[in-house]
Amino acid sequence: MKGNITKAHQTITLAETATKTVGDADYSPATSTTSAINPIAYTSSNTAVATIISNQIHLVAAGTTIITASQAESANYNAATDVTQTLRVNAGPIVKWTFEGIATSNTGISPVLTTGSINADAGSQTSGSSFLAVHA
């Protein structure tokens, strides 16, 4: 006796992701599915902003990307409809400063900075002239 098996449907639910910041740890999107049989795979529409590494989202740079969750079909399940979510990534803390107009060789003078502000674009040396800081 032969019978037909009707494949079941799979549904993916992708929870809302808060805005992330460059430098945040890689994370797994909060996802649920009606079938745990088939794994969920993720893709990023803008790999300059976020990539997928070992099924986790890795933040690369500030910007926006669309994360797509997919679930393939199998012998008993139809493929799930892809689910998308916009991911916004903010710039991280400033990690590089370039100082213009400071000659430090053989002077023993170091610039004094107040850290923690992306707006700290000007200041003064412990002695000497003021400077302009360009942050990357």
Side-chain angles (χ1 to χ4, degrees), residues 44-115:
S44 171
S45 68
N46 186 348
T47 56
V49 173
T51 60
I52 309 301
I53 300 174
S54 300
N55 230 26
Q56 292 197 335
I57 298 174
H58 173 74
L59 307 174
V60 177
T64 303
T65 186
I66 304 216
I67 301 298
T68 302
S70 303
Q71 194 172 27
E73 70 177 312
S74 65
N76 297 320
Y77 290 91
N78 293 313
T81 301
D82 289 353
V83 177
T84 62
Q85 180 181 95
T86 300
L87 172 63
R88 289 173 185 78
V89 180
N90 292 327
I94 297 168
V95 294
K96 175 183 170 187
W97 289 91
T98 301
F99 297 97
E100 298 174 356
I102 296 178
T104 59
S105 40
N106 300 323
T107 64
I109 299 172
S110 297
V112 175
L113 293 176
T114 302
T115 60

